[in-house]
Amino acid sequence: PEGEFAMGSNEYAIEQPIHTVYLDTFWIDRTEVTNEMFAAFLNDQGNQSEGGATWLDAGDGDERIHQSGGSWNADSGYADHPVVEVNWYGASNYCEWVGRRLPTEAEWEKAARGTDGRIYPWGNVFDCSKGNFDDETIEDDYVVPGGAGCDGYNRTSPVGSFENDESPYGAYDMAGNVWEWVADWYDSGYYDNSPFSNPGGPPSGDNRVLRGGSWNFSDSNSRSAGRVQGNPDVTGYVGGFRCATSD
């Protein structure tokens, strides 16, 4: 619903200052876009190049969508997992293809934390069992509070797998699973000058914003106010997205 919420935190400089933002009514997807959904997009639009790279990095090895006989298909067992290895341009074009758009950074944060300033979608105390976080030792030795194997998945999990991780508005996986591209250009000091009403980010920049943490990042990265930057033409095995609309 339309209204105000407190955006940002005092945790890191790039999340400061906490500031009040007003947003018009908007809709946001309950889940991250899946491999099956993105494969349908590729079958209609092709894996086009933009920003110097293809929308899906189909030769990376970590992607879970492959082309066979001229058709793009999700790998067996991964149809309902969030798509990864998608750059910002692929995410933006997919959302346009389905009649929506990427959410703004402010919309994403409100959808994740609501209006009561909570740290995580479910509340203020981290709980490893409520999402897909770095509780394994695949690539490093970091294990989030809760111990190894707490969430039950080594990498991505099917979207909406954790029924107790819903945000105040019913969105899943807004903490963990995959980082999510949003519409905004990144500026570490943007919050100092962010407009009160419907902020849309800086007018230009080099990198875009990602939100929400992933299966390979810590509890701190999964806070609803957390924000990182990414080159829009770069893909990764920890990055995906969801869409939004004002209609």
Side-chain angles (χ1 to χ4, degrees):
E2 65 179 343
E4 299 177 3
F5 82 107
M7 184 174 181
S9 82
N10 290 319
E11 190 76 13
Y12 297 105
I14 62 171
E15 300 167 11
Q16 299 173 7
I18 298 173
H19 55 293
T20 301
V21 169
Y22 169 86
L23 293 176
D24 291 333
T25 301
F26 67 96
W27 294 91
I28 194 165
D29 291 352
R30 295 193 73 191
T31 70
E32 295 153 339
V33 172
T34 66
N35 289 308
E36 182 176 49
M37 295 159 70
F38 201 79
F41 164 66
L42 293 178
N43 283 323
D44 185 71
Q45 297 291 303
N47 191 20
Q48 299 183 38
S49 294
E50 191 170 355
T54 55
W55 291 338
L56 174 77
D57 188 352
D60 178 84
D62 290 305
E63 76 283 7
R64 298 299 183 182
I65 301 174
H66 290 91
Q67 192 175 32
S68 177
S71 176
W72 293 94
N73 297 284
D75 293 355
S76 177
Y78 288 92
D80 57 354
H81 285 237
V83 65
V84 295
E85 296 295 344
V86 173
N87 63 24
W88 184 89
Y89 299 103
S92 180
N93 278 278
Y94 172 89
C95 290
E96 182 178 351
W97 181 69
V98 295
R100 301 196 288 281
R101 55 174 173 76
L102 286 173
T104 66
E105 188 174 12
E107 288 173 338
W108 192 99
E109 186 168 327
K110 182 179 181 180
R113 72 190 309 190
T115 58
D116 57 5
R118 60 185 61 188
I119 299 173
Y120 301 99
W122 55 81
N124 293 321
V125 178
F126 181 77
D127 185 338
C128 179
S129 68
K130 289 186 176 180
N132 187 3
F133 311 103
D134 187 8
D135 62 345
E136 305 296 337
T137 55
I138 295 175
E139 311 241 339
D140 51 42
D141 58 1
Y142 188 84
V143 178
V144 294
C150 178
D151 60 43
Y153 296 93
N154 287 334
R155 291 201 173 193
T156 59
S157 54
V159 299
S161 293
F162 301 89
E163 62 180 19
N164 293 320
D165 87 326
E166 282 185 288
S167 80
Y169 302 108
Y172 291 99
D173 298 311
M174 299 202 82
N177 214 10
V178 292
W179 285 100
E180 299 180 19
W181 290 112
V182 296
D184 301 36
W185 289 107
Y186 175 82
D187 178 352
S188 62
Y190 179 67
Y191 288 3
D192 286 322
N193 303 298
S194 173
F196 166 69
S197 181
N198 299 306
S204 62
D206 295 322
N207 293 330
R208 298 282 184 172
V209 178
L210 296 103
R211 289 299 205 111
S214 80
W215 61 267
N216 199 32
F217 278 75
S218 71
D219 47 311
S220 177
N221 294 116
S222 301
R223 294 173 301 104
S224 297
R227 56 198 302 253
V228 296
Q229 59 179 315
N231 189 311
D233 63 0
V234 170
T235 65
Y237 57 34
V238 294
F241 67 101
R242 73 182 72 214
C243 304
T245 181
S246 301
D247 297 330

